[in-house]
Amino acid sequence: MNDNVAKFLEERLGGEQYAKLSRISNGKLYDFIAHFIKLLDPASVFVCDDSTGDLSYISEKAIHDGEEQRLAMNGHTIHFDSPLDQGRDKEHTNILVDPGEEMGPQISTRDRTEGLKDISEVMDGIMRGRQMLIVFATLGPNGSEFAIPAVQLTDSPYVAHSEKLLYRPGYEEFIRQSEQAHFFKFVHSEGELTESKTTKNIDKRRIYIDLKDDIVYSANTQYAGNTLGMKKMAMRLAIHRGSQEGWLCEHMLVMGIHGPHGRVTYFTGAFPSMCGKTSTAMLDGESIVGDDIAYLRKIDGVVRAVNCEHGMFGIILGVNSKDDPIQWKALHAPGHQVIFSNVLKTDDGGVYWEGKDAAVPEHGVNFKGEWTPGKLDKDGKAVPASHANARFTLSLSMLENLDKNADNPDGVEVSAYVYGGRDSDTWVPVQESIDWAHGVVAFGASIESETTAATIGKAGVRQHNPMSNLDFLSIPLGKYLQINVDFAKGAKRLPKIFGVNYFLKSRDGKFLNGKNDKKVWYKWMELRCNGDVKAIKTATGWIPEYKDLAPLFKDIIDREYTYEEYEAEFSLRIPENLSKIDRVIASWKNSTHDTPEVLFTELEAQRARLLEAQKTFGDEVKPSQWGIVG
Ligand SMILES: Nc1nc2c(ncn2[C@@H]2O[C@H](COP(=O)(O)OP(=O)(O)O)[C@@H](O)[C@H]2O)c(=O)[nH]1
Ligand SMILES: C=C(OP(=O)(O)O)C(=O)O
Ligand SMILES: [Mn+2]
């Protein structure tokens, strides 16, 4: 390591912190830290190791600095983001590209030289008078081939505290990997704060992803989706690195579905933000590996997945004791650290959120300040007790349903992919693809979902969102689709691919399924993966037979599932599926210059099957009309 850099670091860190850093011998790490101390100019620096003492330092600092407030329940705290900082800021999130580097119109980019110049100006001296926290983490199980070391510089103790809960410790991993560490870098500053300790200069909010240097910059924001480098920013770097090394980073839950005789079948599930990953991964009776981001590799010809995280930043809207008993229990467990964000803080030091099955408090404080029931904003609109994107942050280790293979360095063998989104009128509740390419294309690459409060902007707008990963892509869409289709190459066994739809509505706009119906779909898919049930072949995939679903509804959720319900849910809506094909093909053509041919061949074949069915049966085909069972 360069002596000047060492001298500079020793001066700026001081003896104790420098002693911690110097246990890691990695010249690139020192250069990275020295460079950004010079640019951001913090008053002091704290190097966070893996000890509980350092975790306490961070969590106490979050309280001391006013970024978190203690709640009545031991270990629980609350954090508020600015009212203008409540979701991921897609408009100001850019991949940095060199001239001529094409990402297509769906991925917002900025010229790399300009972007680096801009962020250097925005971040120049931004940490003056404050402390820089250096947090290390490992993405993926420590010691596994999936593991990627990561380091984040931040001046927000809330962000550092969240990362300590959400990721596996990385300080010892950096020591172990030494100069070999091929690490991700994150530089974050929340910038100047308001009186209420939220980001003040929202107009200077920037998120830049520099793939050349595996660095993500984030300035003038606190919202976790924009600031937790290890979460959605690392996703962009991992998708890029995976595309070069032959593995995948997907916006997927990973979980064990528990079948007959103690059998556990592992599933992944890709749903856009706020469309069902956490709710599915936390189904009682099943076991969770992860609820948001998966790394997938083919190992000895078998598809295996790990959760690169080890915590949950889950949506709290609608979480209730009946539908979500395990989440409910976790949110009420004293003695574990849980950070609530943008919910209502009640006068007795508790929390309330929209959809919680508890009495509505008479008074409290939320992300907009004082709140009482019926409060209206300046436009006369009702102010909700909690934001639609309000979250809870906790470590998976406190969950009773944590899967026994959650930290298996080899990951888990994936038997099923599940793709889904907020689709009110087209897909049936559950169906299996005809084969791998059909599943990747007609399910994954065709996901359309109504936008939600997880991103800033209008909600409820149907948006094409391939593999639910559009917001995080750092490679051109066509290349992304190709690497997903090609992932089958060299595989001895492949996961089955399913399409699910939790949000199907009747023609008069009512949800056809309750939140718990999904439990039945997963049990059916688990039986299907193990060859225990047949299915009906339709123009868009294989659907369950009524005779297999009814007993599952009875056994699992003690519900009489009538044939009428089955027919309403599983009748194929031909016109809607045909117009979906038109929309998806048009979107792919407009979204990228490099759409692989397989997209068109698979969707045109599906169109032909739909038109054939329409000619024979009309616009709606009942399950009993298809005839082929297999
Ligand atoms: N109608 C309906 N809403 C659901 C269902 N599953 C989840 N949701 C809602 O979708 C929202 C977000 O779900 P979540 O699982 O946290 O999404 P994630 O961001 O993908 O993890 C919550 O408001 C849930 O109440 C379902 O089966 N039906
Ligand atoms: C934090 C996020 O993940 P999700 O909403 O998918 O849980 C996000 O997308 O901002
Ligand atoms: Mn989630």
Side-chain angles (χ1 to χ4, degrees):
M1 176 205 7
N2 170 322
D3 288 351
N4 297 339
V5 169
K7 230 162 104 349
F8 172 80
L9 286 172
E10 187 154 16
E11 262 161 42
R12 291 297 292 259
L13 269 62
E16 189 194 345
Q17 300 308 320
Y18 182 70
K20 280 199 270 187
L21 182 63
S22 48
R23 283 189 60 211
I24 302 172
S25 58
N26 183 308
K28 290 196 184 78
L29 177 69
Y30 289 19
D31 293 344
F32 164 67
I33 293 173
H35 176 84
F36 286 100
I37 288 177
K38 284 190 191 111
L39 178 67
L40 282 56
D41 194 17
S44 65
V45 180
F46 181 81
V47 176
C48 193
D49 61 23
D50 297 342
S51 68
T52 47
D54 277 13
L55 170 59
S56 306
Y57 175 84
I58 296 284
S59 57
E60 289 305 316
K61 181 173 169 59
I63 302 284
H64 175 266
D65 291 9
E67 288 196 12
E68 291 176 35
Q69 301 166 47
R70 266 192 241 289
L71 293 167
M73 193 167 284
N74 169 25
H76 291 195
T77 56
I78 185 166
H79 164 79
F80 293 115
D81 293 309
S82 153
L84 301 170
D85 196 20
Q86 293 286 325
R88 276 185 286 109
D89 178 357
K90 290 176 68 174
E91 194 195 333
H92 295 95
T93 300
N94 296 305
I95 309 273
L96 298 180
V97 290
D98 287 328
E101 201 177 345
E102 265 299 300
M103 285 282 181
Q106 291 266 19
I107 298 174
S108 49
T109 60
R110 180 158 189 190
D111 173 79
R112 182 166 186 266
T113 311
E114 274 176 32
L116 291 177
K117 181 169 172 296
D118 178 44
I119 197 66
S120 301
E121 287 160 7
V122 167
M123 287 191 145
D124 184 7
I126 196 168
M127 275 195 195
R128 221 157 265 151
R130 305 143 67 87
Q131 182 168 61
M132 175 189 278
L133 304 168
I134 302 181
V135 179
F136 298 97
T138 306
L139 300 174
N142 288 75
S144 82
E145 70 178 277
F146 294 89
I148 300 177
V151 58
Q152 167 135 358
L153 314 179
T154 177
D155 51 11
S156 165
Y158 157 69
V159 165
H161 185 202
S162 300
E163 289 187 328
K164 295 298 283 183
L165 297 182
L166 292 172
Y167 298 95
R168 295 176 176 91
Y171 176 73
E172 297 297 335
E173 184 80 14
F174 263 88
I175 294 173
R176 200 174 65 75
Q177 294 202 20
S178 181
E179 292 295 344
Q180 277 65 47
H182 186 197
F183 56 103
F184 286 168
K185 300 169 279 254
F186 305 104
V187 186
H188 166 251
S189 171
E190 56 195 358
E192 215 180 322
L193 300 182
T194 62
E195 281 298 298
S196 48
K197 305 298 180 192
T198 60
T199 286
K200 185 172 183 182
N201 306 317
I202 297 282
D203 57 314
K204 293 205 186 68
R205 183 166 52 196
R206 299 279 191 283
I207 295 118
Y208 285 123
I209 294 108
D210 182 11
L211 302 168
K212 305 276 175 312
D213 209 356
D214 271 342
I215 291 192
V216 181
Y217 302 89
S218 160
N220 294 308
T221 173
Q222 282 172 318
Y223 171 67
N226 294 324
T227 59
L228 303 191
M230 320 295 186
K231 195 177 223 331
K232 297 307 201 204
M233 285 103 103
M235 244 184 127
R236 279 114 171 175
L237 301 184
I239 288 169
H240 179 253
R241 183 178 289 183
S243 72
Q244 294 175 321
E245 298 178 352
W247 52 275
L248 296 172
C249 168
E250 296 295 326
H251 193 199
M252 283 179 163
L253 68 87
V254 183
M255 68 188 296
I257 301 296
H258 294 250
H261 322 299
R263 182 173 71 197
V264 182
T265 306
Y266 289 96
F267 279 54
T268 60
F271 303 84
S273 298
M274 282 189 89
C275 294
K277 293 185 302 299
T278 307
S279 312
T280 304
M282 290 295 281
L283 287 175
D284 56 325
E286 314 303 359
S287 49
I288 184 170
V289 174
D291 81 319
D292 198 25
I293 306 168
Y295 290 171
L296 297 115
R297 285 174 180 261
K298 279 196 303 288
I299 298 173
D300 303 333
V302 168
V303 175
R304 303 189 72 88
V306 297
N307 175 13
C308 63
E309 306 187 299
H310 204 259
M312 186 179 284
F313 175 64
I315 285 136
I316 201 164
L317 174 76
V319 168
N320 64 74
S321 59
K322 187 174 71 60
D323 294 338
D324 314 293
I326 299 179
Q327 276 161 272
W328 183 267
K329 204 168 159 191
L331 297 176
H332 293 82
H336 296 277
Q337 295 194 20
V338 179
I339 308 173
F340 293 87
S341 50
N342 308 313
V343 297
L344 184 79
K345 180 172 181 260
T346 57
D347 298 347
D348 59 357
V351 288
Y352 178 80
W353 60 84
E354 294 294 333
K356 178 178 182 182
D357 50 343
V360 179
E362 278 311 302
H363 177 269
V365 175
N366 72 4
F367 68 102
K368 282 195 163 177
E370 297 263 334
W371 183 88
T372 48
K375 174 163 183 178
L376 303 176
D377 67 12
K378 58 185 182 337
D379 310 328
K381 257 179 60 210
V383 176
S386 61
H387 191 275
N389 193 30
R391 302 265 177 157
F392 60 86
T393 302
L394 51 78
S395 164
L396 294 184
S397 45
M398 66 175 280
L399 295 177
E400 62 186 45
N401 60 327
L402 183 62
D403 187 89
K404 61 184 183 309
N405 284 307
D407 286 310
N408 184 329
D410 298 329
V412 294
E413 177 175 352
V414 178
S415 300
Y417 273 24
V418 178
Y419 288 117
R422 262 173 206 275
D423 164 7
S424 60
D425 62 4
T426 306
W427 279 3
V428 295
V430 59
Q431 58 185 327
E432 177 193 340
S433 74
I434 295 164
D435 59 26
W436 177 263
H438 175 252
V440 172
V441 169
F443 295 164
S446 299
I447 289 178
E448 295 175 297
S449 189
E450 290 156 21
T451 48
T452 69
T455 55
I456 291 170
K458 197 165 175 326
V461 178
R462 178 160 35 199
Q463 182 196 58
H464 181 215
N465 189 343
M467 280 69 133
S468 305
N469 221 1
L470 180 68
D471 289 358
F472 313 109
L473 289 189
S474 48
I475 57 177
L477 263 71
K479 182 175 177 193
Y480 174 61
L481 175 54
Q482 194 65 61
I483 61 175
N484 266 277
V485 172
D486 292 349
F487 199 53
K489 283 184 182 151
K492 278 191 315 234
R493 286 192 298 280
L494 276 175
K496 281 186 180 291
I497 300 184
F498 295 90
V500 297
N501 183 9
Y502 302 158
F503 301 90
L504 184 65
K505 292 180 176 173
S506 58
R507 296 215 188 287
D508 56 11
K510 280 208 305 296
F511 280 127
L512 286 171
N513 296 101
K515 272 175 81 169
N516 277 326
D517 290 5
K518 63 165 77 72
K519 290 179 173 179
V520 173
W521 310 146
Y522 283 84
K523 291 301 192 197
W524 179 79
M525 291 188 274
E526 198 275 342
L527 295 173
R528 189 71 184 149
C529 286
N530 292 282
D532 293 348
V533 285
K534 292 188 180 307
I536 300 167
K537 187 161 192 182
T538 78
T540 57
W542 296 87
I543 62 171
E545 293 190 272
Y546 175 71
K547 69 173 182 55
D548 296 321
L549 290 183
L552 287 173
F553 269 95
K554 191 74 192 127
D555 296 350
I556 298 155
I557 53 175
D558 192 19
R559 188 150 91 78
E560 294 303 325
Y561 187 58
T562 66
Y563 193 82
E564 289 63 37
E565 286 171 302
Y566 169 70
E567 203 168 68
E569 293 162 20
F570 286 93
S571 290
L572 195 62
R573 304 178 187 187
I574 305 282
E576 286 83 352
N577 274 280
L578 284 170
S579 43
K580 179 180 184 67
I581 290 175
D582 295 337
R583 288 194 306 269
V584 167
I585 287 180
S587 177
W588 271 98
K589 280 183 175 160
N590 301 332
S591 302
T592 185
H593 54 289
D594 64 342
T595 303
E597 198 46 42
V598 64
L599 179 104
F600 303 110
T601 41
E602 284 295 338
L603 291 183
E604 287 308 337
Q606 179 133 313
R607 187 203 306 277
R609 293 194 299 271
L610 286 163
L611 290 171
E612 182 58 36
Q614 188 176 40
K615 217 166 56 220
T616 319
F617 302 114
D619 282 355
E620 196 154 300
V621 189
K622 294 184 174 32
S624 56
Q625 292 178 292
W626 292 101
I628 306 167
V629 177

